[in-house]
Amino acid sequence: MGDQTKQRNLFMRRLSRLKFPGSAGNSGHNPVSFPAKLFLVFCLALLSTQGNSQITGALIDKETGGPIAFATLRLGNTQTGIISNIDGTFILPAQPNQDSLTISCLGYFPTKVSIASLHQDPFIKLTRRTIALQQVDVYPGENPALTLMQRVVDAAPRNNPQKSANYTCMVYHKMVFRLDTDHPLTERSDSLSQKLNQFSNERDLMLIESVSEKRHMAPDKDYERIISGRVSGFQNTGLSILPSQIQPFTFYSEKINLLNESYLNPVSATALEKYIFLLQDTIIDRQDTVYHLTFTPRKDSKVKGLSGFLHIDAASLALKNISATTPSGNTPMEVQINQNYAKLEGQQWFPSQLESTLSFNALSANQSLPFPLIATAKSMVSAVNLNPDLDPKDFTAITFEDQSGQDQTPLREFRYQPLSAKDSATYQFIDSIGQQHRLDKLMNLQKYLLKGYAPAGPFLVELKRLIGYTNFEGVKLGMGLYTNEQVFKDLSIGGFLTHSLKQYSNNYGGGLKWTLNENQETRLSLSYKKDLSTTGKFTFLEGPKKDISNLFKTLTASTMDRIEVWDADFHARLFKYLRARVFFNTTQRTPVVSYPFFIEGGAIDLPYSLDQGGINLRWNHNENLKKTVFGWMTEETNTPTVWFNFALGHHDHTTGNNNFQKYEGQVEQIISLTPSSKTTLRLTAGTIKGSVPNDQLYSYFGTFLPFSIEVPFMFATMAPNEFAADAFSLAFFRHQIPLRLNKPGSFKPNVILTTNAGWGNLSDASKKASIKTFNKGFYESGVYFSNLLSSLFIKYGFAVHYRYGPYQKDKTIDNFSFRLGLEFSL
């Protein structure tokens, strides 16, 4: 017994130095703090006390000391073995009937150890190796792995809990950020590196915990809410949503979305032709047969793919484990995800443990970090109910909601292991910094910046009013100031004042915005302003995701009227997926220039009054909304988005019947013709019934300047107000093709092919004689090379467009438009 006790104590002492996900690297001479961090290890040690019935151990990376998940450990030369869990630990039977273990794992050299040696040293260190995957030609019918994967795909509907089961569950999330000071590629000996290394050994940069409740009703109704959260350094728990958003809950969808990038899932029908699958091993794990396969995208597949391995349960053909890594070089960030599934109630395979590791090696393609920044998120699933009492009426368009607040009680209840000494040190140290430097103000700042404001005590400064630019007004300087929730919780009151340096005009206005129901996005706005307004434009109701192209569009405005307007509008979300805006405004308009669409130039129109009222609608049947402290977020869907506008108006510009109606519609569909390409088709049309002043004709179709910024879904070679129409139809086609996929290097540009066509006409014969229209058809095509360069979260590109058809210009060069592309993305 004395020897067994000595062995257990030795095991626990050595496990105290093990660096679990989220702990800092340890060079060996700075031991990691001992206490509660060893909870998981202590459980394993307890198992070994039961008459020495089992042998416990752990697999770790020789260089970093981190655990190695889902490695295969075969007993001797047999097919019998086990698979390490997501923490790298494993348990052998007391009498394994073999004297050695052979360990294999993708990315590591195979290792063979004696079982007897585990009593003295339970750690098995594996050495990393760089795998150069060569092109492999595997033909249909000759690859057993391909046949097996076909069966896995066929069985996916019954094994995928998202499709085959209703369920509820609880998920505990934990995420840590740290500097990888032990990374072999960043060895440094300067004093700063030594201080960073010491800091990383004692604490992490940030620690986030949260508990979420998930509800699912097959096949497509979901709801998740964060019920508790804690973020080191912050009292505001808004960032606690982060670990739950890094990876999907299951690995059965056609595409896997990781941080705004979409990858073809290897466990999908399309992947059978786009991936190389190899059957590496067959393991008998506790009398269950498990297949071990590796996967990597074919070099000529032209898809955004993942590389890794998976374990398949032979009896059910269900996923048991999967480990997948994003290709290096696509972004400054690399992501590795691990998922473990367990069979519940003997019938349904269900996610048990999820782990994501984010490696930030650089700020951009040309800006490396002194040390890689590592973020590790682990999610543990519990309290699974496969027969919940659910009602379809309980599910809305809101699929995710942050209700974390300040209640930390559920955190203590659902932690799968107590906080380690390092975790406690992180909270204590970072919380003190947060209080000293008021980091919550930084969180508050970010929240308002995303909405276009900057907080200033009880006020919000409207950023777009500080400085702006249009081609007509030139540079605009000013100030917009509105009250925030410190004054009134649901009501904001304020105004703005701006000055145009080119037009020498002062513009001002004010109003109130009253939020009646935040969940239904119900709000009422009343406003007055004296300003300049772009002529000939038509707009549609925005969704929760703001379109940055609208900002670029306004830069090219070259014709504006002076306006004095009183406006009231009411906005709400109806019937889950329908957004509506009802409005009424009365305006005094004063044209200040002759409009470019006159054939031989025209006189400046007289001032007039205009009254309008109407409704704007937006519909997307599968739009999923996420409500966070930073505002509403949405995900791209495969269903069309439909817009419809209707307005009634009256003006006193001329004598006679001055009533009119406007009907405008738009539909947009995103189609994935291949796993990697994306095609967007947008159709827009409008018509005016009745007589309207010239500035109310449709004329803002183009954004041409000899050199400008790329604006999607506008004519690049048509100037603003070059043509006018009271009836029009437009078609915009964009086809995106990523280049150099699955190729080495960080240069991964996209080619976007565009073709735009439009038709516009005037029904009034007298206007048609003096106004240019495009009733013969306007056509242009172009090519846009995006992601040529990147810096932080901005991607730069270059585009060229060419105008052809009946309205082609005489000089060839005048038909070209050259454009700089700007995109904002992770």
Side-chain angles (χ1 to χ4, degrees):
M1 291 296 295
D3 291 340
Q4 292 179 1
T5 302
K6 185 182 296 184
Q7 291 169 5
R8 289 195 301 271
N9 291 338
L10 175 64
F11 182 49
M12 292 186 67
R13 285 199 303 271
R14 294 183 63 87
L15 279 173
S16 71
R17 303 187 187 98
L18 177 60
K19 290 175 286 184
F20 290 100
S23 65
N26 190 349
S27 61
H29 56 276
N30 292 320
V32 179
S33 182
F34 179 79
K37 182 176 185 176
L38 306 180
F39 176 77
L40 176 62
V41 175
F42 179 69
C43 292
L44 295 177
L46 284 179
L47 292 175
S48 67
T49 66
Q50 301 175 5
N52 197 27
S53 60
Q54 294 175 319
I55 303 171
T56 60
L59 300 175
I60 61 175
D61 187 294
K62 186 177 181 179
E63 292 178 350
T64 67
I68 299 174
F70 309 149
T72 301
L73 299 91
R74 288 196 296 129
L75 295 170
N77 295 320
T78 70
Q79 294 299 105
T80 302
I82 57 174
I83 299 171
S84 65
N85 66 18
I86 206 165
D87 291 309
T89 56
F90 60 88
I91 303 175
L92 293 176
Q95 298 177 350
N97 298 323
Q98 297 289 330
D99 58 5
S100 66
L101 282 176
T102 301
I103 302 99
S104 60
C105 183
L106 185 66
Y108 293 88
F109 286 105
T111 302
K112 189 172 184 178
V113 299
S114 67
I115 294 178
S117 67
L118 296 178
H119 292 288
Q120 299 298 324
D121 187 353
F123 293 94
I124 302 176
K125 301 179 180 65
L126 302 188
T127 302
R128 286 180 179 268
R129 69 171 176 179
T130 302
I131 301 177
L133 295 172
Q134 302 297 325
Q135 179 67 54
V136 179
D137 294 322
V138 180
Y139 299 96
E142 297 182 6
N143 183 7
L146 192 61
T147 303
L148 175 59
M149 285 304 301
Q150 179 66 67
R151 296 170 60 200
V152 171
V153 171
D154 292 341
R158 70 170 182 266
N159 289 321
N160 181 5
Q162 300 290 94
K163 298 296 183 183
S164 62
N166 298 339
Y167 64 80
T168 61
C169 65
M170 304 296 294
V171 188
Y172 166 78
H173 309 277
K174 182 179 180 181
M175 186 173 190
V176 294
F177 291 79
R178 63 183 177 87
L179 290 175
D180 188 6
T181 56
D182 285 343
H183 194 281
L185 299 181
T186 57
E187 293 182 355
R188 296 171 59 182
S189 58
D190 55 74
S191 60
L192 175 60
S193 298
Q194 293 175 4
K195 291 179 180 179
L196 289 175
N197 185 67
Q198 181 179 357
F199 179 94
S200 297
N201 287 335
E202 296 174 355
R203 60 187 68 88
D204 295 310
L205 295 176
M206 177 176 280
L207 174 58
I208 301 174
E209 292 182 281
S210 64
V211 173
S212 66
E213 176 193 31
K214 293 181 69 70
R215 287 181 284 170
H216 174 78
M217 192 170 187
D220 57 3
K221 292 181 172 60
D222 285 285
Y223 177 73
E224 180 178 7
R225 69 186 181 103
I226 304 293
I227 63 174
S228 181
R230 184 179 181 185
V231 182
S232 61
F234 297 89
Q235 292 183 348
N236 189 313
T237 59
L239 286 177
S240 63
I241 70 171
L242 185 57
S244 67
Q245 302 300 299
I246 294 177
Q247 65 169 302
F249 191 61
T250 65
F251 222 89
Y252 281 101
S253 301
E254 175 77 11
K255 293 185 177 180
I256 301 298
N257 294 316
L258 301 173
L259 301 177
N260 292 334
E261 291 286 344
S262 182
Y263 300 89
L264 178 64
N265 186 0
V267 190
S268 64
T270 307
L272 299 177
E273 297 180 354
K274 304 299 182 180
Y275 277 83
I276 296 173
F277 295 96
L278 297 176
L279 182 60
Q280 298 289 349
D281 206 350
T282 302
I283 310 112
I284 309 299
D285 185 3
R286 296 175 181 82
Q287 299 182 349
D288 293 330
T289 302
V290 178
Y291 298 117
H292 177 197
L293 298 91
T294 58
F295 57 86
T296 190
R298 295 179 181 272
K299 289 186 176 180
D300 59 350
S301 60
K302 296 181 181 179
V303 299
K304 287 185 178 179
L306 303 166
S307 297
F309 64 89
L310 48 84
H311 294 136
I312 302 295
D313 178 71
S316 61
L317 297 172
L319 275 178
K320 185 177 176 67
N321 302 308
I322 186 165
S323 179
T325 304
T326 59
S328 61
N330 278 4
T331 65
M333 182 191 317
E334 297 175 16
V335 184
Q336 179 180 354
I337 60 177
N338 295 324
Q339 292 193 350
N340 169 253
Y341 294 75
K343 196 170 187 179
L344 302 182
E345 301 178 6
Q347 58 178 359
Q348 180 65 57
W349 288 89
F350 200 83
S352 174
Q353 299 172 305
L354 311 177
E355 185 181 63
S356 304
T357 301
L358 284 63
S359 301
F360 301 81
N361 297 316
L363 296 175
S364 68
N366 301 313
Q367 297 173 309
S368 61
L369 293 169
F371 294 107
L373 175 64
I374 306 296
T376 302
K378 182 177 290 186
S379 302
M380 310 295 288
V381 183
S382 63
V384 181
N385 182 359
L386 294 178
N387 295 290
D389 184 16
L390 298 176
D391 189 337
K393 296 180 181 178
D394 295 334
F395 294 88
T396 67
I398 301 175
T399 60
F400 179 89
E401 197 167 359
D402 179 10
Q403 298 180 354
S404 56
Q406 298 296 322
D407 184 9
Q408 297 178 13
T409 302
L411 285 176
R412 295 190 291 270
E413 294 177 354
F414 286 93
R415 283 183 180 128
Y416 66 94
Q417 65 184 42
L419 291 179
S420 69
K422 186 173 186 179
D423 293 334
S424 299
T426 300
Y427 272 134
Q428 182 178 4
F429 181 76
I430 304 301
D431 284 350
S432 66
I433 293 178
Q435 293 176 5
Q436 181 179 357
H437 296 279
R438 300 181 180 181
L439 293 183
D440 277 282
K441 286 192 173 182
L442 182 63
M443 177 89 70
N444 206 39
L445 174 63
Q446 183 178 1
K447 177 179 72 173
Y448 286 117
L449 287 177
L450 291 172
K451 297 178 181 179
Y453 297 92
F459 298 99
L460 296 176
V461 178
E462 194 173 14
L463 297 178
K464 70 178 182 180
R465 302 291 184 184
L466 295 177
I467 185 169
Y469 176 86
T470 68
N471 195 36
F472 182 79
E473 298 173 279
V475 176
K476 299 185 296 180
L477 302 176
M479 172 66 74
L481 208 61
Y482 294 85
T483 62
N484 61 23
E485 63 270 14
Q486 295 183 29
V487 181
F488 303 106
K489 181 180 179 182
D490 300 317
L491 183 67
S492 180
I493 303 174
F496 72 90
L497 172 66
T498 62
H499 177 74
S500 168
L501 299 183
K502 185 177 179 179
Q503 294 297 325
Y504 302 103
S505 64
N506 294 318
N507 308 308
Y508 53 88
L512 63 86
K513 301 175 184 179
W514 182 17
T515 301
L516 302 172
N517 186 319
E518 188 176 2
N519 273 356
Q520 293 298 321
E521 300 174 81
T522 305
R523 56 184 179 268
L524 174 67
S525 298
L526 301 174
S527 66
Y528 164 83
K529 64 180 178 180
K530 190 172 184 180
D531 204 350
L532 289 165
S533 176
T534 305
T535 61
K537 65 180 180 180
F538 50 93
T539 60
F540 293 93
L541 195 60
E542 277 193 333
K545 185 177 181 180
K546 302 301 181 183
D547 189 356
I548 193 67
S549 64
N550 287 335
L551 173 63
F552 299 149
K553 176 181 175 181
T554 60
L555 298 178
T556 61
S558 58
T559 303
M560 307 181 83
D561 288 348
R562 298 194 188 279
I563 61 168
E564 185 176 7
V565 55
W566 292 90
D567 181 82
D569 71 67
F570 177 79
H571 181 283
R573 179 164 46 84
L574 310 171
F575 311 113
K576 291 175 65 172
Y577 305 111
L578 178 66
R579 297 173 185 274
R581 171 180 174 262
V582 179
F583 68 92
F584 174 79
N585 55 61
T586 179
T587 308
Q588 183 69 35
R589 301 189 70 97
T590 304
V592 294
V593 296
S594 177
Y595 305 125
F597 48 67
F598 285 112
I599 294 176
E600 295 181 355
I604 299 176
D605 283 356
L606 297 174
Y608 70 95
S609 63
L610 171 69
D611 298 324
Q612 280 193 100
I615 186 170
N616 306 140
L617 302 174
R618 180 185 181 276
W619 170 272
N620 188 307
H621 180 65
N622 282 335
E623 187 170 58
N624 295 324
L625 301 176
K626 297 181 179 182
K627 182 185 176 185
T628 74
V629 70
F630 302 106
W632 292 95
M633 297 186 294
T634 186
E635 297 177 351
E636 190 175 276
T637 68
N638 58 1
T639 55
T641 303
V642 180
W643 293 264
F644 176 74
N645 296 341
F646 171 71
L648 288 171
H650 174 81
H651 65 88
D652 64 358
H653 187 264
T654 59
T655 58
N657 183 10
N658 295 335
N659 297 321
F660 64 91
Q661 303 90 42
K662 285 186 176 182
Y663 303 86
E664 297 157 3
Q666 183 171 270
V667 59
E668 179 180 292
Q669 174 69 67
I670 298 176
I671 307 169
S672 296
L673 298 176
T674 68
S676 59
S677 65
K678 182 173 72 173
T679 301
T680 304
L681 179 63
R682 177 182 286 191
L683 304 175
T684 308
T687 185
I688 301 172
K689 301 296 183 182
S691 175
V692 294
N694 292 325
D695 67 334
Q696 292 299 305
L697 294 172
Y698 299 116
S699 61
Y700 198 25
F701 302 107
T703 60
F704 172 78
L705 288 172
F707 187 83
S708 183
I709 296 177
E710 178 73 2
V711 183
F713 308 114
M714 294 286 288
F715 287 103
T717 59
M718 181 191 292
N721 311 108
E722 181 179 349
F723 302 100
D726 59 16
F728 72 91
S729 57
L730 314 173
F732 299 95
F733 174 86
R734 292 170 60 89
H735 182 62
Q736 178 176 311
I737 307 171
L739 300 181
R740 293 184 53 79
L741 291 175
N742 309 310
K743 298 286 181 67
S746 60
F747 183 59
K748 308 284 184 180
N750 293 326
V751 172
I752 301 176
L753 305 176
T754 65
T755 293
N756 307 323
W759 170 91
N761 199 16
L762 285 166
S763 58
D764 189 326
S766 61
K767 287 188 175 182
K768 186 180 293 188
S770 59
I771 292 177
K772 291 180 288 185
T773 188
F774 55 112
N775 56 1
K776 297 179 182 179
F778 186 94
Y779 307 97
E780 69 175 18
S781 292
V783 57
Y784 172 32
F785 298 94
S786 70
N787 197 28
L788 295 177
L789 296 171
S790 64
S791 179
L792 292 177
F793 302 127
I794 304 177
K795 298 179 180 179
Y796 300 92
F798 180 76
V800 57
H801 300 268
Y802 184 72
R803 171 174 177 165
Y804 55 92
Y807 300 97
Q808 186 175 25
K809 295 183 178 181
D810 295 334
K811 292 184 178 181
T812 301
I813 190 63
D814 292 338
N815 294 297
F816 283 96
S817 176
F818 302 95
R819 308 206 150 204
L820 172 68
L822 295 176
E823 298 175 73
F824 300 88
S825 173
L826 283 178

